[in-house]
Amino acid sequence: MLGLMQSQPLLISSLIEFADRHHSDGEIISRRVEGDIHRYTWSDVAKRSRQVANALDGMKLAFSDRVATLAWNGYRHLELYFGVSGSGRVLHTINPRLHPDQVVWIANHAEDQILCFDMSFLPIVQAVHARCSTIKQFVAMCDADKLPADSGIPNLISYEAWIGKQSTQYSWPQFDENSASSMCYTSGTTGNPKAALYSHRSTTLHAYAAALPDVMGLSARDSVLPVVPMFHVNAWGIPYSAALTGCKLVFPGPAMDGKSIYELIEAEKVSYAAGVPTVWQMMLGHMKPAGLKFSTLKRTVIGGSACPPAMIHAFQEDYGVEVLHAWGMTEMSPLGTLNTLKNKQLGLPQDEQMKIRLKQGRAIYGVDMKIVDADGKELPWDGKTYGDLLVKGPWIVKEYFKGEGGDPLKYDEAGAGWFPTGDVATIDESGFMQITDRSKDVIKSGGEWISSIDVENIAMAHPAIAMAACVGMPHPKWDERPIIAVVKKPGMEVSRDELIKFYDGKTAKWQIPDDVVFVDAIPLGATGKMQKMKLREQLKDYKLPTA
Ligand code: ADP
């Protein structure tokens, strides 16, 4: 017997329809490439998304055709999120920090038909347009009178002229909720990048889950600043969850430096922010010397790479901001775990609570996870045993776009497919997962594993250290030994011996790095993560003093 409830496909268009009907005056604030602040409402987003949809229909773009963006977090990008996917096409967000050759490769691989770009990225488009063989229309995301006359890009049109002449009426098509809605390429540290192809169903389920109080906890009372880019994994799904909750959205545009972000938080009474640790590092670096405080910010979700404990402490103790540590990946839409305490933990002493909060968090309904040994056997949840972290759930990839890389899943005895995350982790009795390392970054010393994240976290707690990356160096006796590459804070000093001594009592002796290398900068990838492969290349002539 079937249930007798109404059946409606879970479509992205339903999110913007909902925001339009129930949160029409909710604000969307964007810092524009031009530098000014743009203000409008969810009702305007809905209208202009419908204009985008009409423009795509007018160009006879087929169902599932790809529309690419090279854009910052801003209102026009938001309209494309809803207009492109809502009308049945696939939004392909391209990371503008990629090398131009990679942009060409993925635009061709995705077979993008249209590319919409912010004017900051005009030089990239000028460099690549002739090699993007499937793109038939380039759209500059600017006013008609700002369109450069001599861009060299054939048939270039402005976004405002493109959608401006379209009707604001549109009837969103209904189709299978499993249809593709958007795509994002992984950074491809090994081989060519592979694309996760999200569906309407996976995206709306993820949007529901992300908004839950134990996950991101978004509401119509929040003013939310996603610093995480809309060009990578849909800004952790915030644009969709925002439409679903009707929260105020504040977009930083191209101004991603600490000062601009801080000023925007204050000016727009932001209560909730989301970003990777490197972004917050910059902001705190701006605030501390100037003695600045937040007047409205209450919570921030930090993920994408391990959030150093020193940062969690600083936010909490110096600024009264609760840090929600989160973990996920492109292949997971991206949310997998988020760290909020359970009822039974509320009575624990502060330092015990902090130990839990440093972990990457517990699974969200919709994500199941387990740790396994090399033979695929499930390992215990004791907070100590570490193994390969596998996940499954309705917003996790089962295959990459065009079947690239074959079947990525690992199957258990019952035949269920699990996605191997490439991370090594522990899970404790209460279900809190902690990432030890990416499997390729774990340091293997004398048959034991050393977590590079643990070594980095200690260095980051030193007042003179701005950034730290731990890598393993070949050692004749121990296989590998850890060293720590560090960037000092401006005007601060610490010697090699002082830093090594700083580890005393904070970790087991054999986990203390053998050496410190002072560098001007740690190489960062397109999503702001430390690129240890590049760092290892830079240190290829380095010899361990202990080897
Ligand atoms: P890529 O870096 O390949 O673009 P993602 O952006 O999807 O891929 O990154 C996913 C990876 O980032 C995870 O597998 C994990 O190694 C790392 N990561 C994400 N969040 C955290 C976190 N909170 N702590 C530690 N590592 C994290």
Side-chain angles (χ1 to χ4, degrees):
M1 180 161 70
L2 292 178
L4 293 174
M5 308 312 281
Q6 297 179 11
S7 168
Q8 288 171 7
L10 298 172
L11 298 178
I12 286 173
S13 55
S14 69
L15 297 174
I16 191 62
E17 283 286 87
F18 179 82
D20 188 20
R21 281 177 67 75
H22 301 280
H23 298 284
S24 59
D25 57 355
E27 286 180 285
I28 314 290
I29 314 296
S30 312
R31 195 195 290 278
R32 304 204 304 167
V33 174
E34 293 86 340
D36 59 345
I37 299 284
H38 174 274
R39 298 177 176 276
Y40 74 169
T41 62
W42 277 111
S43 158
D44 299 311
V45 183
K47 252 186 231 133
R48 286 165 54 94
S49 307
R50 295 195 286 263
Q51 289 181 299
V52 169
N54 279 319
L56 298 174
D57 283 4
M59 290 174 74
K60 303 269 179 293
L61 232 68
F63 189 73
S64 293
D65 270 354
R66 268 74 70 199
V67 176
T69 59
L70 268 176
W72 300 110
N73 291 7
Y75 65 104
R76 291 180 179 126
H77 208 173
L78 188 66
E79 294 156 11
L80 288 163
Y81 262 56
F82 293 109
V84 172
S85 304
S87 68
R89 284 82 183 197
V90 176
L91 184 80
H92 172 204
T93 52
I94 303 182
N95 186 335
R97 299 204 182 102
L98 292 173
H99 188 277
D101 289 347
Q102 271 179 313
V103 172
V104 172
W105 191 91
I106 66 176
N108 287 336
H109 188 262
E111 300 169 47
D112 295 332
Q113 303 284 308
I114 298 177
L115 172 67
C116 303
F117 64 92
D118 267 335
M119 290 306 280
S120 321
F121 308 121
L122 178 64
I124 303 181
V125 180
Q126 285 171 319
V128 304
H129 73 89
R131 289 184 283 153
C132 297
S133 52
T134 56
I135 299 180
K136 38 188 195 231
Q137 181 68 64
F138 291 88
V139 180
M141 291 160 75
C142 64
D143 293 337
D145 61 354
K146 297 275 174 3
L147 194 68
D150 49 359
S151 69
I153 302 164
N155 188 26
L156 181 66
I157 49 172
S158 88
Y159 181 85
E160 294 302 330
W162 184 49
I163 70 163
K165 54 178 187 279
Q166 304 296 333
S167 162
T168 57
Q169 302 296 311
Y170 185 77
S171 171
W172 297 107
Q174 299 295 299
F175 44 78
D176 184 343
E177 64 185 18
N178 290 298
S179 307
S181 59
S182 68
M183 66 198 299
C184 181
Y185 281 76
T186 63
S187 47
T189 37
T190 49
N192 279 327
K194 300 191 284 279
L197 185 62
Y198 311 113
S199 71
H200 286 259
R201 175 184 159 80
S202 70
T203 305
T204 39
L205 288 177
H206 181 271
Y208 259 120
L212 285 170
D214 269 4
V215 189
M216 297 229 248
L218 298 182
S219 81
R221 293 167 295 289
D222 281 309
S223 168
V224 178
L225 176 89
V227 186
V228 298
M230 289 166 76
F231 58 68
H232 193 66
V233 216
N234 303 324
W236 298 350
I238 291 175
Y240 306 116
S241 295
L244 171 154
T245 56
C247 66
K248 171 177 172 180
L249 268 181
V250 182
F251 288 128
M256 302 285 275
D257 60 291
K259 180 170 182 287
S260 307
I261 298 285
Y262 172 76
E263 287 173 359
L264 199 59
I265 288 176
E266 287 301 298
E268 294 306 328
K269 301 192 169 42
V270 168
S271 59
Y272 192 100
V276 296
T278 39
V279 165
W280 300 135
Q281 191 73 27
M282 283 194 293
M283 191 178 67
L284 297 181
H286 164 71
M287 291 176 66
K288 190 143 195 217
L292 299 169
K293 296 277 176 209
F294 294 115
S295 29
T296 54
L297 189 68
K298 292 282 171 295
R299 290 173 298 154
T300 176
V301 50
I302 303 185
S305 49
C307 179
M311 183 174 285
I312 301 185
H313 282 291
F315 264 116
Q316 195 148 310
E317 282 138 36
D318 303 345
Y319 300 101
V321 174
E322 184 188 10
V323 169
L324 305 165
H325 196 186
W327 166 86
M329 53 196 311
T330 307
E331 288 89 336
M332 301 176 69
S333 300
L335 290 176
T337 62
L338 202 126
N339 196 323
T340 51
L341 296 183
K342 290 181 169 178
N343 181 278
K344 65 170 183 181
Q345 294 159 334
L346 296 178
L348 292 175
Q350 279 300 316
D351 57 330
E352 289 297 311
Q353 287 193 2
M354 190 49 89
K355 271 191 210 142
I356 303 170
R357 302 190 75 102
L358 302 179
K359 301 187 176 197
Q360 275 72 10
R362 45 198 178 82
I364 303 162
Y365 170 75
V367 174
D368 195 6
M369 62 182 181
K370 64 176 179 180
I371 44 173
V372 298
D373 65 13
D375 301 323
K377 200 168 110 301
E378 183 161 5
L379 294 167
W381 292 20
D382 58 11
K384 290 191 279 287
T385 311
Y386 48 78
D388 293 323
L389 180 64
L390 309 186
V391 289
K392 71 180 175 66
W395 57 77
I396 296 167
V397 291
K398 66 169 182 217
E399 211 180 295
Y400 289 99
F401 182 53
K402 293 185 171 173
E404 219 69 64
D407 181 357
L409 303 188
K410 287 194 160 65
Y411 294 88
D412 62 19
E413 283 146 11
W418 293 75
F419 180 77
T421 63
D423 288 326
V424 176
T426 59
I427 305 178
D428 69 20
E429 295 81 353
S430 302
F432 285 72
M433 183 275 287
Q434 183 160 31
I435 301 276
T436 308
D437 239 320
R438 278 200 148 179
S439 54
K440 60 184 189 310
D441 292 335
V442 145
I443 295 152
K444 294 168 187 103
S445 172
E448 295 284 350
W449 285 14
I450 299 175
S451 154
S452 67
I453 296 177
D454 287 349
V455 177
E456 286 155 10
N457 282 345
I458 296 174
M460 290 295 287
H462 191 283
I465 299 301
M467 205 179 274
C470 171
V471 289
M473 285 289 159
H475 189 284
K477 178 163 172 205
W478 302 111
D479 254 351
E480 278 185 334
R481 287 295 301 154
I483 63 159
I484 185 101
V486 294
V487 182
K488 284 185 281 193
K489 286 188 185 153
M492 304 281 270
E493 274 311 323
V494 57
S495 70
R496 172 197 180 278
D497 293 349
E498 280 163 355
L499 192 59
I500 297 281
K501 202 152 174 16
F502 187 69
Y503 280 85
D504 274 353
K506 297 189 176 78
T507 184
K509 274 221 150 42
W510 58 276
Q511 295 180 345
I512 297 178
D514 279 12
D515 199 11
V516 177
V517 180
F518 293 95
V519 292
D520 294 335
I522 309 275
L524 297 180
T527 52
K529 295 185 202 204
M530 297 194 285
Q531 284 194 306
K532 295 203 178 165
M533 252 199 345
K534 276 232 171 91
L535 181 65
R536 283 192 204 96
E537 272 166 35
Q538 285 176 11
L539 297 175
K540 66 180 186 316
D541 298 326
Y542 171 87
K543 288 266 170 320
L544 266 178
T546 49

